[in-house]
C-alpha cells in the first residue's frame, strides 16, 4: 500500500446553487388581503394579467367581488377568511392601522400558508411621510409574531399603485426586495415577482432587516412628490 492509498479523499463539494434557478409558481393560487385597496388591487391585477390565479379579499365579500369583476382576468373576490383558506400564498396589503388585528383574526386560516407582507408602517405630517417602527421591529416581524404557524416573507413594498393599475403599461420596470428566513420561501416569492413583466425578485436578507426596506417608501414618496414621478428601485450589478 502506498502512502497515497491511505489518505482519504475529501468529498467533492456540491456546486453552488444558481440564485436565479427559481421554482415554477404558475399553478399556485395567490390571495391578496386588502385587495380592494390601491396597492393590493394593483398587485392582483398584474399577477392575474400574467396568468396567475388570484383571489382578492376584503372584510366585506361583496366589496371584494365587485373589485374582482372590475379587474377581470379571472380574479375572484371573497371575504378575508375565505381568501386565506383558498390560497397557497397570501399577500398582506392591508392598511398599517389594521395590520395587527387583521392578521390576529386570521391566524387559523393562515396556518401553514406562505404569507407575504408588503405593508409599510408610515406616518404623515406637514413635512411629509416618515417611517414608523413597530414594537416588533417591522410590519413583517409583527406578522411573524402574530402568525407562529405560518411562513412569513416580506416583499412588494416599493411598487407604484398607479403604474400597477395602468393597463397601457406593459412592463413594470423595477426590482422587488424579498426578505425571509427560509431560502425556499424567498425563492417562491422571487419567482412570483418575476411573473410580472419587467420585474425581478431579489433576495435582500432576513426579516430582521425588513424595517429599513419598509421605511424606504417614505423616501420614495418624497422623490415622487418632488419629481412628479412613480419611482421604483433597480439594484445594480446583480
Amino acid at each position: 500500500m502506498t502512502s497515497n492509498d491511505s489518505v482519504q479523499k475529501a468529498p467533492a463539494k456540491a456546486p453552488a446553487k444558481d440564485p436565479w434557478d427559481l421554482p415554477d409558481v404558475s399553478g399556485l393560487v395567490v390571495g391578496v388581503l386588502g385587495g380592494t385597496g390601491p396597492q393590493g388591487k394593483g398587485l392582483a391585477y398584474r399577477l392575474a394579467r400574467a396568468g396567475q390565479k388570484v383571489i382578492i379579499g376584503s372584510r366585506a365579500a361583496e366589496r371584494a367581488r365587485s373589485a374582482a369583476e372590475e379587474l377581470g382576468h379571472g380574479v375572484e373576490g371573497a371575504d378575508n377568511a375565505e381568501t386565506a383558506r383558498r390560497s397557497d400564498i397570501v399577500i398582506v396589503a392591508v392598511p398599517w392601522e389594521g395590520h395587527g388585528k387583521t392578521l390576529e383574526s386570521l391566524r387559523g386560516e393562515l396556518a401553514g400558508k406562505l404569507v407575504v407582507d408588503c405593508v409599510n408602517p408610515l406616518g404623515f405630517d406637514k413635512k411629509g411621510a416618515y417611517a414608523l417602527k413597530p414594537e416588533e421591529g417591522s410590519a413583517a416581524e409583527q406578522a411573524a409574531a402574530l402568525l407562529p404557524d405560518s411562513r412569513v416573507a416580506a416583499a412588494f413594498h416599493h411598487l407604484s399603485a398607479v403604474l400597477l393599475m395602468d393597463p397601457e403599461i406593459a412592463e413594470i420596470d423595477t426590482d422587488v426586495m424579498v426578505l425571509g428566513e427560509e431560502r425556499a420561501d424567498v425563492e417562491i416569492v422571487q419567482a412570483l415577482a418575476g411573473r410580472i413583466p419587467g420585474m425581478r425578485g431579489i433576495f435582500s436578507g432576513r426579516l430582521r432587516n425588513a424595517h429599513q426596506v419598509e421605511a424606504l417608501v417614505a423616501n420614495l414618496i418624497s422623490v415622487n412628490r418632488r419629481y412628479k414621478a412613480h419611482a421604483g428601485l433597480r439594484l445594480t450589478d446583480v
Side-chain angles (χ1 to χ4, degrees), residues 27 35-36 68 73 88 116 137 146 154 166 191 217 233:
T36 58
H73 296 282
D88 301 303
V116 185
L146 291 172
D166 189 339
V217 172
L233 295 180

Side-chain angles (χ1 to χ4, degrees), residues 59-75:
R59 285 177 298 177
E62 189 52 46
R63 187 179 176 200
R65 284 192 285 268
S66 176
E69 187 176 343
E70 180 186 335
L71 291 176
H73 296 282
V75 176

Side-chain angles (χ1 to χ4, degrees), residues 1-7:
M1 177 184 295
T2 68
S3 58
N4 287 340
D5 293 332
S6 61
V7 177

Side-chain angles (χ1 to χ4, degrees), residues 46-205:
R46 285 290 160 176
L47 288 169
R49 182 168 155 170
Q52 207 76 34
K53 176 59 188 172
V54 178
I55 307 169
I56 59 174
S58 174
R59 285 177 298 177
E62 189 52 46
R63 187 179 176 200
R65 284 192 285 268
S66 176
E69 187 176 343
E70 180 186 335
L71 291 176
H73 296 282
V75 176
E76 292 185 46
D79 63 34
N80 283 331
E82 183 182 344
T83 298
R85 280 194 299 269
R86 292 178 55 198
S87 301
D88 301 303
I89 305 173
V90 178
I91 296 173
V92 181
V94 299
W96 166 241
E97 293 74 18
H99 182 265
K101 286 185 178 179
T102 299
L103 294 184
E104 198 169 18
S105 71
L106 297 171
R107 183 176 293 165
E109 290 84 356
L110 292 170
K113 308 281 184 177
L114 174 54
V115 176
V116 185
D117 204 298
C118 70
V119 174
N120 303 303
L122 295 175
F124 295 86
D125 60 20
K126 63 183 179 181
K127 294 182 179 180
Y130 61 94
L132 303 174
K133 189 157 189 179
E135 183 180 344
E136 298 84 357
S138 64
E141 289 169 293
Q142 183 183 87
L146 291 172
L147 304 172
D149 299 319
S150 305
R151 296 130 53 212
V152 176
F156 302 115
H157 300 90
H158 307 133
L159 306 181
S160 162
V162 173
L163 297 185
L164 289 173
M165 284 299 300
D166 189 339
E168 299 301 316
I169 295 176
E171 297 188 1
I172 304 293
D173 180 23
T174 195
D175 288 327
V176 171
M177 300 177 77
V178 184
L179 303 97
E181 299 303 315
E182 299 295 333
R183 180 164 185 163
D185 291 337
V186 169
E187 289 181 348
I188 288 171
V189 182
Q190 286 182 263
L192 188 65
R195 295 273 288 157
I196 300 173
M199 202 176 282
R200 294 188 307 174
I202 296 182
F203 169 67
S204 302

